[in-house]
Amino acid sequence: AAAAPRPWKLFGAMCLLRLPRITQPLQKEEEEMEALMGQIELEKSCYSDHEIQKLQEEEQLRRRKEGIDDDDGGGGPGKTVIMAQDLEEKWEQKFLRFEAAPRVTDADRNETRTSLDRRLDSNLLLLVKQKIGSQDLWLLPQAEWQPGETLRSTAERAMATVLGDRIQAKVLGNAPHGIYKYKFPRAIRTEDNVGAKVFFFKAFLQSSDLAQADLKRDYLWVAKDELGAYLKPEYLKKVNQFLLD
């Protein structure tokens, strides 16, 4: 027997996130708490092996200056002894040569929203431009459900359509994280074709190299606070319900 007509078309959509690569800058209260905890830890801490060695060497030097015979414990002839002061000077030179990577990248300065190398302290969300009716809209990657598929596999197929099969992503669970329902315009709406239901799934991007991805569509990687410039208000409201900062 023929399958009964479905009044709602079903879609699976994938919310693909690139997780933060660096920590966010500390707020004033967090900096104060960090300083307080550091002071408490310092006051309650014990000497490290390096500090104990340095104190022993200072005591040996003092005794030599006072003319007190003392076995310096150098380990015998032919053995090289590295003093604590020498180690500290070596570490200091290494520290002076160290240069931290910048928190703001070229992609940030140039507003290159197709790059993953931006907003390193935030989640980035993949958006693609898809044709819905006569409109080109920015959406999460989505595809229409096909008989025999689970909604999760539909969402995975939508993601693979954009990124290809070589990009690895970890999908979170088999149940959707949200749903967006809308009705078709009255001109095309019928009893057997009322509207669409979009089921959202979430995944974490596990590969930062998209050189092998087949990105044929227009796409963007945007942070949560940038979504308002691309998504329709009602669609954005549903996405914000399950999208955390």
Side-chain angles (χ1 to χ4, degrees):
R6 295 179 178 272
W8 295 88
K9 288 189 175 181
L10 305 181
F11 290 82
M14 186 64 75
C15 175
L16 180 61
L17 296 171
R18 187 224 67 189
L19 296 177
R21 296 178 179 175
I22 61 176
T23 58
Q24 293 187 350
L26 296 179
Q27 301 296 325
K28 180 181 178 181
E29 295 80 3
E30 294 172 325
E31 290 179 348
E32 293 174 352
M33 178 58 70
E34 182 183 44
L36 175 62
M37 297 304 296
Q39 182 64 28
I40 293 174
E41 182 178 359
L42 176 62
E43 292 174 357
K44 295 185 177 182
S45 65
C46 299
Y47 286 125
S48 67
D49 291 343
H50 174 75
E51 290 171 320
I52 292 174
Q53 178 185 349
K54 187 175 181 181
L55 290 173
Q56 291 173 344
E57 292 174 355
E58 291 174 351
E59 177 64 17
Q60 290 172 0
L61 181 60
R62 183 190 65 80
R63 293 172 67 87
R64 289 197 191 100
K65 288 181 178 180
E66 294 177 356
I68 302 175
D69 292 333
D70 188 19
D71 182 10
D72 59 7
K79 183 174 181 180
T80 303
V81 179
I82 301 177
M83 306 294 288
Q85 185 63 36
D86 296 333
L87 284 174
E88 290 185 0
E89 292 176 358
K90 180 180 179 181
W91 295 336
E92 180 67 19
Q93 293 300 318
K94 186 175 182 181
F95 173 74
L96 292 175
R97 293 193 300 269
F98 173 77
E99 184 177 354
R103 296 181 65 91
V104 178
T105 65
D106 291 338
D108 288 314
R109 287 185 283 269
N110 299 328
E111 282 291 318
T112 309
R113 298 195 174 184
T114 56
S115 172
L116 282 171
D117 193 26
R118 61 181 297 269
R119 296 292 294 269
L120 300 180
D121 60 353
S122 303
N123 288 320
L124 289 185
L125 172 67
L126 176 64
L127 297 181
V128 295
K129 185 173 284 188
Q130 296 182 263
K131 194 169 189 64
I132 305 298
S134 59
Q135 301 182 73
D136 288 325
L137 301 176
W138 288 105
L139 302 169
L140 304 184
Q142 70 176 40
E144 187 173 356
W145 175 82
Q146 301 294 333
E149 286 185 328
T150 63
L151 285 170
R152 168 173 164 163
S153 62
T154 302
E156 291 175 330
R157 175 166 57 84
M159 179 175 61
T161 300
V162 179
L163 297 178
D165 297 326
R166 299 183 181 182
I167 303 303
Q168 296 181 350
K170 180 178 179 60
V171 182
L172 305 180
N174 295 316
H177 291 254
I179 180 174
Y180 171 64
K181 181 172 68 173
Y182 64 94
K183 292 185 178 181
F184 294 141
R186 292 184 180 275
I188 62 173
R189 190 189 312 165
T190 65
E191 292 184 358
D192 297 334
N193 197 28
V194 176
K197 294 181 180 179
V198 183
F199 295 87
F200 299 110
F201 292 79
K202 290 177 72 174
F204 293 154
L205 185 67
Q206 294 185 309
S207 172
S208 59
D209 181 12
L210 298 185
Q212 303 297 327
D214 188 14
L215 294 166
K216 296 180 179 179
R217 301 182 183 179
D218 293 335
Y219 70 96
L220 296 170
W221 291 97
V222 297
K224 183 178 180 181
D225 58 9
E226 298 169 336
L227 291 175
Y230 301 98
L231 302 183
K232 295 286 187 179
E234 287 301 315
Y235 189 91
L236 174 62
K237 181 179 178 181
K238 297 299 182 181
V239 172
N240 279 334
Q241 290 178 352
F242 62 85
L243 185 62
L244 303 177
D245 288 330

